[in-house]
Amino acid sequence: MINHSHHHPNQSLNKTAAIATLHCLSGCAIGEVAGMVIGTALGWSNTETIVLAVLLAFLSGYALTMLPILRSGYPLRTAMTIALAADTASITIMEIVDNLVMLMVPGAMAAPLDSWLFWSSLLAALIIAGIAAFPLNRWLIARGRGHALAHCHH
């Protein structure tokens, strides 16, 4: 009889990469949404809004990684170093893709905050950004890098 329940290392790696990508995407989304909302509400240019969104995405992404590390008793400097090593590549990919998608959707950046166009474009951009970052996260984790660095400190 064939045993179909045996463990597949790629399934575990895919699951770990998916969880890491969702974690990173959560941090990015918090900052990205805040930046887009603030920039749009203030009537800022696309460039100003994107710069704010990217800065807030990195800040919130790093913060989400650092919090459990800090709670585990590590000093701030160590938590920051781990977060930078764990998240920088993933957040960078997500931010590039997310903002390119927002710029490519006609009218998305200029749409009012109460519009379907603004929110559906932002949601689509974040989903596409997460999909784009997954292979990078998988590759990094398989090599003991990226989010693998953060997980061993939780």
Side-chain angles (χ1 to χ4, degrees):
M1 189 151 121
I2 298 173
N3 179 1
H4 293 288
S5 65
H6 63 281
H7 177 72
H8 293 288
N10 281 342
Q11 287 178 337
S12 178
L13 179 57
N14 287 338
K15 182 178 179 181
T16 301
I19 291 168
T21 301
L22 287 173
H23 178 269
C24 194
L25 184 59
S26 298
C28 284
I30 292 167
E32 186 69 27
V33 169
M36 289 289 173
V37 167
I38 292 167
T40 300
L42 296 176
W44 287 3
S45 71
N46 288 353
T47 302
E48 293 167 323
T49 300
I50 288 172
V51 167
L52 178 63
V54 168
L55 288 173
L56 292 177
F58 273 95
L59 183 65
S60 59
Y62 291 145
L64 280 185
T65 296
M66 289 172 53
L67 283 174
I69 296 168
L70 290 168
R71 286 186 189 130
S72 294
Y74 287 91
L76 179 61
R77 183 181 200 113
T78 301
M80 287 173 50
T81 301
I82 294 166
L84 287 170
D87 290 340
T88 300
S90 182
I91 294 172
T92 299
I93 292 293
M94 287 185 191
E95 285 305 298
I96 290 168
V97 171
D98 171 59
N99 287 293
L100 283 175
V101 170
M102 285 299 288
L103 288 169
M104 290 172 53
V105 176
M109 293 292 293
L113 292 177
D114 62 354
S115 73
W116 180 86
L117 177 61
F118 177 84
W119 290 104
S120 62
S121 299
L122 187 52
L123 177 62
L126 289 167
I127 291 169
I128 294 167
I131 292 167
F134 173 82
L136 172 67
N137 286 327
R138 188 183 187 284
W139 184 82
L140 289 168
I141 290 166
R143 283 149 187 79
R145 305 224 186 284
H147 259 269
L149 298 171
H151 287 288
C152 68
H153 291 88
H154 289 181

